[in-house]
Amino acid sequence: MAEPWKIGMFQCAGLMGAWKLPENRSTELFELDHWIRMVRRCEDAGADFFFFADDYGYPVVGDGIPDTAVRGGVQFPKGDPTMILPALAAVTERIGLVTTLSTQVELPPMVARKMATLDHMTNGRVGWNIVTGAGQNASARLFGRPLTEHDARYEIADDHVDLSLKLWEGCWDEGALRVDRDAGVYADPDGVREIVHDGPHFRSRGVLAVPPGPQRTPMLFQAGASVPGRALAAKYAEAVFLAAEVPALKEQIADIRRRAAENGRDPRGIKCLIAGTFYVGETNEDAQRIRARQVATKTLDDAAASYAFFTGLDLSKMDPDKPLDPEAGLTQTGRTNVERFLGPNAPTVREILEEFQANSVMGAPYVGSPVEVVDEAQAVLDETDADGFLVQPDHTGTFDSFIDLVMPELRRRGLVADAVERTTLRERLTGSGSPHLAPEHPGAAYRRTTEPAREPAGV
Ligand SMILES: Cc1cc2nc3c(=O)[nH]c(=O)nc-3n(C[C@H](O)[C@H](O)[C@H](O)COP(=O)(O)O)c2cc1C
């Protein structure tokens, strides 16, 4: 029998593709109630986690943001998910809460402090999506910094995660937090220590001032499937987000699992989640109609702006009848969505635009009745060896159709659990039975052996 699906729900604190449809609610993005309603529905439906994608980018073409992006709401505007997450933590008890923080923007002590604090506030339900960052050309301009080259960004990311792990795992011994009012001991000084990090990109000597939350290190996710992205995932990630056509997904997942095994990690310990778009209706015709309505909201200019955001490349200036120049693969912005359109049988520029107009970065959608989409999606999981889906919002900008139509079908087939216990996100997704990183994870090496807290002298 098939394994239960791992299910995450994808959002960004921004406009969603089909915002022009009257029933789309993503224009409510700056209303807290919008998020609260949505996360509660996801929790009640039994989703494993709610994910906020994030970046500081937006499309940049030539010398700035194109009118199309501003007018058409393409990867623009966006709010800051870390400002929304605590409110979602307050109204939920079981669902995981995951967000992106870019290793190009936030320094490791900032990531470590925010995530450790959120781990407490969520009772161990927080996850960090490690990315070097989409929209890097825009983000570099905004921060007034030169654009760091693609592969160098991944070297920085590696050093960043290494230092963050030291801060989470190495500063506080288990049991060092005492809060003993009678003895006047808040924390045991012998159990709290400075870490020293002298890496190729970051230097640090200090203590993370936040004692460990239930997971200590937040559950680690990764997105960005270029070759160095996969190497980063295989080293550190406990879950990976992927989006591509089925043969490419199969190859990427096999590659990540193979690299994980080479690193001495359990290849199945990395949960591979496919970004899945579900157009679902009571009947196949309903679903096809919804899809057509959604696709019609996007122009080819919107598609070009969206492609520019992910890759830094302006398709509108290229010959529509030719494939991408192989040199495009050297773009210093994101590479995942360039590499997937190169090689034998490469599509033309026009076909890439049409693909982005229809499906954006997400690969082919699942379209049909609940039975049809679950059959098809299950076949993709079997074919690719993936563990589940990161579900894209539907044409309403919410997950209502997935929750109302797909979840009952999954439940009928035993592909989602009936009742969900309150656990940490790591336990829920990895099934490891421990809230902490697996012993073979590189972060575990920074842990100090547990020593019983000493009584202060004279007590
Ligand atoms: C489902 C999914 C979610 C993603 N979420 C983010 C995100 O929140 N922020 C981000 O900068 N990149 C995100 N990415 C990755 C970017 O699309 C992009 O590939 C990456 O940032 C650039 O790295 P690359 O050169 O390895 O592609 C996501 C990718 C997928 C498939």
Side-chain angles (χ1 to χ4, degrees):
M1 189 169 132
E3 288 281 307
W5 292 12
K6 308 289 177 205
I7 300 178
M9 304 306 227
F10 176 99
Q11 281 285 338
C12 67
L15 274 187
M16 283 296 164
W19 69 269
K20 294 169 201 160
L21 293 177
E23 65 269 39
N24 188 283
R25 301 211 290 279
S26 70
T27 49
E28 296 168 19
L29 74 153
F30 295 113
E31 293 170 33
L32 195 50
D33 272 354
H34 170 69
W35 299 113
I36 288 177
R37 265 196 311 273
M38 201 182 320
V39 79
R40 278 188 165 144
R41 276 224 81 192
C42 293
E43 174 163 270
D44 291 345
D48 292 308
F49 66 94
F50 188 87
F51 166 61
F52 269 125
D54 194 33
D55 56 77
Y56 276 87
Y58 46 81
V60 166
V61 170
D63 199 31
I65 183 165
D67 290 353
T68 324
V70 179
R71 192 182 301 117
V74 182
Q75 295 291 339
F76 180 89
K78 274 171 210 168
D80 184 337
T82 54
M83 300 294 111
I84 305 172
L85 276 181
L88 305 192
V91 298
T92 53
E93 290 179 336
R94 298 180 308 277
I95 194 166
L97 297 169
V98 182
T99 194
T100 297
L101 293 172
S102 160
T103 51
Q104 281 300 111
V105 172
E106 309 257 353
L107 296 170
M110 297 164 76
V111 170
R113 192 169 80 134
K114 287 178 195 190
M115 284 288 154
T117 305
L118 279 172
D119 200 40
H120 285 286
M121 300 299 135
T122 59
N123 284 324
R125 291 184 287 136
V126 77
W128 173 29
N129 180 32
I130 307 164
V131 300
T132 55
Q136 274 299 308
N137 49 357
S139 172
R141 281 160 51 105
L142 182 66
F143 284 87
R145 296 181 193 148
L147 176 65
T148 308
E149 288 195 353
H150 182 270
D151 292 4
R153 292 202 294 273
Y154 276 104
E155 286 163 23
I156 294 169
D158 189 329
D159 195 26
H160 188 302
V161 181
D162 189 32
L163 170 51
S164 302
L165 287 167
K166 284 182 186 165
L167 290 164
W168 286 315
E169 299 288 330
C171 289
W172 291 74
D173 284 352
E174 225 37 69
L177 183 66
R178 299 269 301 279
V179 200
D180 183 340
R181 287 190 167 81
D182 294 337
V185 177
Y186 184 74
D188 177 3
D190 290 340
V192 180
R193 59 182 61 78
E194 288 196 331
I195 56 100
V196 178
H197 181 83
D198 190 5
H201 300 280
F202 298 101
R203 298 186 72 182
S204 174
R205 180 175 178 147
V207 175
L208 178 65
V210 188
Q215 300 182 110
R216 222 171 228 277
T217 293
M219 176 148 180
L220 299 175
F221 293 69
Q222 188 273 351
S226 60
V227 172
R230 287 182 233 164
L232 186 76
K235 189 163 173 189
Y236 295 120
E238 300 170 279
V240 183
F241 297 139
L242 298 154
E245 291 69 29
V246 172
L249 285 170
K250 190 174 173 178
E251 209 179 290
Q252 289 170 6
I253 291 171
D255 187 43
I256 290 167
R257 297 208 197 281
R258 183 183 55 74
R259 287 169 188 263
E262 277 172 16
N263 292 338
R265 300 183 61 204
D266 172 9
R268 302 226 61 87
I270 303 184
K271 300 301 165 199
C272 293
L273 304 171
I274 301 172
T277 309
F278 292 81
Y279 293 103
V280 59
E282 297 288 353
T283 64
N284 188 291
E285 294 71 37
D286 287 348
Q288 300 287 356
R289 229 186 341 264
I290 294 168
R291 180 176 192 216
R293 265 166 67 70
Q294 163 139 0
V295 173
T297 63
K298 249 201 197 168
T299 65
L300 284 177
D301 284 347
D302 292 341
S306 170
Y307 193 81
F309 166 76
F310 285 101
T311 64
L313 302 178
D314 184 2
L315 294 183
S316 69
K317 295 272 172 353
M318 298 181 193
D319 184 341
D321 297 316
K322 292 212 172 112
L324 289 175
D325 185 328
E327 290 274 301
L330 300 177
T331 179
Q332 298 304 334
T333 305
R335 288 197 182 158
T336 303
N337 289 289
V338 182
E339 288 168 357
R340 70 185 259 225
F341 298 123
L342 292 175
N345 307 319
T348 62
V349 164
R350 181 180 287 110
E351 285 164 341
I352 297 172
L353 277 173
E354 285 165 0
E355 173 65 26
F356 255 64
Q357 183 184 29
N359 301 325
S360 181
V361 294
M362 296 307 168
Y366 307 101
V367 190
S369 68
V371 169
E372 287 167 339
V373 295
V374 172
D375 281 350
E376 203 186 328
Q378 182 63 53
V380 170
L381 292 185
D382 295 342
E383 166 87 20
T384 58
D385 192 28
D387 300 282
F389 287 96
L390 182 63
V391 177
Q392 300 302 301
D394 65 21
H395 61 294
T396 69
T398 73
F399 305 100
D400 287 353
S401 58
F402 190 88
I403 290 171
D404 293 337
L405 298 170
V406 181
M407 287 303 269
E409 178 61 23
L410 292 175
R411 198 155 272 124
R412 202 178 60 73
R413 299 188 194 192
L415 294 174
V416 286
D418 276 333
V420 177
E421 308 226 332
R422 278 194 218 171
T423 60
T424 61
L425 176 57
R426 178 170 287 114
E427 289 167 279
R428 182 162 179 177
L429 274 189
T430 66
S432 69
S434 163
H436 297 138
L437 289 171
E440 66 272 17
H441 191 282
Y446 298 132
R447 244 175 249 158
R448 298 293 179 132
T449 46
T450 309
E451 291 166 25
R454 288 186 309 134
E455 293 300 320
V459 175

